[in-house]
Each structure stands twice: as structure tokens, then as C-alpha cells.
Amino acid sequence: MRVIVTFCGHSKIYQTGDFSKWLDIILPSLIEGGAATFYLGGYGDFDSLAAAVRRQKAVYPHITAILVLAYLNRETDASRYDDTTYPPLENVPPRYAIVRRNEWMVRESDVVISSVTHGLGGAAKTLDYARRKQKIIFQFPTQAQKE
């Protein structure tokens, strides 16, 4: 079974070094457990760090980093990804495209890697959606890292 992983986080991350180290620990474990496809949104600091999936390709060349587009008519740099996909958002007003794209990513995924640190904004809503959909969630910072 191929496990699909998506990422959920705020556009700004303030512990980027710690998060990057944490990803380098979490990702190999997930990959060895069957994770092969990683959905990425491509916006902000969080999604730049989520491209840490690319570093894992040296050891796990079978994994795929997919940029999930919210808009078809926008210029997007997809050079850090193996592929792109566009969910069925043709009839969604542009102001809701990112929210609907994020919900699609959660629905299509088995696991969510999160760095949601406060309850405001789209990332918090996406994490709440993942919880309602009963997805497996890996949260950064963990409770031990907060203390």
C-alpha cells in the first residue's frame, strides 16, 4: 500500500532549523513505513521546508514530491517537485481555492505533517479538518519541544 503524506503549516515558521531536523527524523520513518507520495502546497516558509522531501530522494529514490496547485492560471515554479496536480477546483471561486485545495490534500492523504502553532488562519482550519477526517497527524513542535 502506498501511503500519501501531506503538509499543513503556517506560512511563517520561526524554528526553521529545529523543524528541518525534526523532518529529517520523521520522513525516513514514514517512508520506511510505506509513505511514497508527498503532497506539497508550495507557499511560504513551511512549504519550502516541506520540500525536505527532496533530500530524502538520495536514499529513497522511489518517493514522489507533488506540488498541488490551487490555481491553473498562475505562474508557478515547480522545479523542486517531481510532478504537479490540480484538484477538481474549476468551479471554486479564486478566494476559496487554497482552502479547497488544502481540504482535497487532506482527504487524499493518509498522514498529515503539521507545524500549526496557533489557532488562527488557514493552516489551523486545515489541521482541524484533518482531525475531523481522523487522519494520522505528526505535530511539530511536539509537547516535549514546547516545554
Side-chain angles (χ1 to χ4, degrees), residues 6-25:
T6 195
F7 294 84
C8 169
H10 304 293
S11 60
K12 292 285 181 202
I13 293 181
Y14 300 100
Q15 296 175 302
T16 55
D18 291 343
F19 181 66
S20 185
K21 290 175 192 171
W22 181 77
L23 279 179
D24 288 340
I25 294 167

Side-chain angles (χ1 to χ4, degrees), residues 3-7 30 35 105-106 109-113 135-138:
V3 174
I4 299 173
V5 178
T6 195
F7 294 84
L30 287 170
M105 290 169 65
V106 167
S109 298
D110 304 293
V111 175
V112 175
I113 295 177
K135 300 297 178 172
I136 298 166
I137 300 169
F138 288 86

Side-chain angles (χ1 to χ4, degrees), residues 69-76 84-87 89-90:
L69 302 171
Y71 310 99
L72 280 179
N73 58 352
R74 298 216 178 150
E75 190 70 30
T76 304
T84 62
T85 192
Y86 180 71
L89 302 174
E90 299 86 12

